[in-house]
Amino acid sequence: MNDLPVKEASKGKFISFEGGEGGGKSTQLKLLAKTLKEAEIDAIETREPGGSPGAELIRKLLVEGETDRWDAQTETLLHFAARRDHLNKVILPALDNGQWVLTDRYADSTMAYQGYGHGVSKKAIHGFYQFIAGNKQPDLTIIFDMPPEEGLARADSRSNEKTADVHQKEDRYERMGLEFHSRLRDGFLDIARKNKKRCVVIDATKSIEEIQTNIKKLVFKRFRLDGDE
Ligand code: TMP
């Protein structure tokens, strides 16, 4: 079997939303999906880890339980296994079909969390990415930046609202400590510096409305859509 059976499907646009915890990217993804719908663009909303039935099963292994449940290498491989399934079953078919794909996290999260955060070899992460995705990259990556103290506090109150049951909380990464979260914030900013064409950093401390307006302007300009902006 060919190692790289990933087609360069790109009829639709592929946009990833990235950043640390509690930055508001999921809210903004939904708002952008609504804006695109109003512009009569067919877009799907998805997420990582997860997004396909198989990858959602792997997600549970990654986001619940003890922080030391996996070593960093095993954790990296689980993220890539989930991503491969998500790409093959959901992302590439949708793009091929002309739909836009908005994903709440993608491969930059592995580089930031497992690479910069846990210290896994960045070269190895690049290699695994090529193995599962070839040269396919998002057309645009929006990175939500905010001080980790603020993001973690927001994420904590949100996860308490969702469930009080400690066994069902998806907060394994939130419990990894401030130093880890500071490293991955620096990691995302470094990824943005190294991928200037693809990545745009958003100040996530601004209001929901201001961020929404900025993202709409960015997307309409980047993909030459008609709009009143
Ligand atoms: P979220 O759905 O709340 O963003 O949770 C997913 C968690 O998984 C989040 O804490 C970041 C983490 N993650 C990684 O560590 N590596 C990855 O490659 C991805 C996609 C997510």
Side-chain angles (χ1 to χ4, degrees), residues 21 25 48-49 59 79 83 105 109-110 113-114 173:
E21 309 295 321
K25 57 189 168 39
E48 288 202 351
R59 176 186 174 90
H79 278 292
R83 181 160 303 127
R105 298 193 181 282
S109 279
T110 313
Y113 280 74
Q114 282 66 49
Y173 286 95

Side-chain angles (χ1 to χ4, degrees), residues 153-165 169 174:
R154 282 207 212 171
D156 189 42
S157 61
R158 195 190 52 202
S159 80
N160 286 334
E161 271 167 30
K162 271 195 199 154
T163 175
D165 181 347
K169 277 197 179 177
E174 288 163 36

